[in-house]
Amino acid sequence: MYKRQDKNTDQILFESTARWRAHILDPYLQFRLESQFLDNSDPRGTRHFNPIRLTEAGGVTRVFRKTEKEEFLTRLGFGLRQSIGKSYVMLDSDETNSFSTTDGGLEWQTIASFPFDNERFGFSTRLLFFLPLFYSASSDLETFDQQALAENPDHEEIQDYWKAVDIDWQTTLTAKFSEVLSMNLSVHMVYDKFDAATDMNPDLPIDARLANAQVGTRKAAQWKQTLAVSLSYRLF
């Protein structure tokens, strides 16, 4: 069995949100595209721009505070996620196959950002909970568990892993030392028990699906810390 490797940390991200002002709750629509330049999460090889994740969401927003420099709001709505990816067809081959999955559910997102100490420091955080209610490949997971148990009675079933709540939490602390020098410290935590962008097609050999399941199953949270120093200069 292949040993899981750490994923690379590059990211391609585009997000757009439209919000309409109302009395208490503001309706919103959101679109998000996320991918990466190079995916080396599978020891069988690397794949470019894999996976591509598209999210469309809509619901209501409650704004508690909104100024030019401060923001505190929370959103509750329904999200639909499409995952488009490439998987390896065989255990010992670099041949890939394109696939796609869809899941949808409830999402709750809270965003806050504000400066303090006369704007020398800044704090921002974004916390997202996503509760999947359906998954287009759930029957593929059930079939996989049945076949895997037939070969190995000690196999741990994963057919319900997709139902676990996904958590995405990112926090950034900014320190401004002068007009040109600043520092950012970011902490990013992701908990995704089963990656929806995992190819569990029953047409694949069982060995290939076992390898895919090992890469796509993450029982613990993933953490990333980033420390960056920036120099900026305004010409005009």
Side-chain angles (χ1 to χ4, degrees), residues 22-208:
H23 182 59
I24 297 178
L25 299 176
D26 300 343
Y28 78 92
L29 291 175
Q30 186 175 70
F31 174 77
R32 179 183 177 96
L33 182 150
E34 186 176 4
S35 187
Q36 55 189 345
F37 292 102
L38 185 65
D39 177 12
N40 63 358
S41 61
D42 194 316
R44 287 172 285 181
T46 58
R47 293 155 291 177
H48 296 278
F49 304 105
N50 185 75
I52 298 174
R53 306 177 191 272
L54 305 174
T55 304
E56 303 88 30
V60 293
T61 302
R62 178 70 169 96
V63 179
F64 297 99
R65 184 171 179 80
K66 179 69 174 177
T67 66
E68 182 180 350
K69 298 178 180 179
E70 298 181 359
E71 182 180 43
F72 179 34
L73 60 85
T74 188
R75 296 188 180 114
L76 179 64
F78 181 85
L80 188 66
R81 308 187 300 186
Q82 297 88 38
S83 299
I84 305 168
K86 292 173 285 187
S87 67
Y88 291 98
V89 177
M90 303 294 292
L91 192 63
D92 55 355
S93 171
D94 59 359
E95 180 184 355
T96 60
N97 174 62
S98 297
F99 70 97
S100 64
T101 62
T102 302
D103 65 344
L106 300 176
E107 70 165 31
W108 177 29
Q109 183 175 198
T110 300
I111 299 173
S113 62
F114 54 87
F116 55 94
D117 194 14
N118 295 322
E119 300 183 17
R120 290 184 56 219
F121 298 94
F123 173 83
S124 64
T125 188
R126 177 185 178 219
L127 177 60
L128 172 65
F129 294 93
F130 187 89
L131 174 62
L133 299 179
F134 70 89
Y135 177 47
S136 62
S138 59
S139 60
D140 293 345
L141 290 178
E142 295 175 4
T143 301
F144 166 73
D145 278 340
Q146 293 172 2
Q147 296 176 348
L149 283 169
E151 293 199 3
N152 178 15
D154 295 328
H155 166 73
E156 182 179 354
E157 297 186 26
I158 65 170
Q159 58 184 293
D160 291 331
Y161 280 13
W162 67 269
K163 299 178 182 179
V165 177
D166 297 341
I167 305 173
D168 190 325
W169 181 31
Q170 186 166 3
T171 298
T172 301
L173 179 65
T174 303
K176 188 175 182 180
F177 300 110
S178 67
E179 292 296 327
V180 297
L181 180 63
S182 61
M183 181 180 69
N184 296 331
L185 174 62
S186 298
V187 179
H188 192 187
M189 187 276 285
V190 174
Y191 176 72
D192 186 4
K193 192 170 185 179
F194 182 78
D195 188 351
T198 302
D199 191 3
M200 302 302 293
N201 190 329
D203 293 335
L204 294 176
I206 186 64
D207 288 345

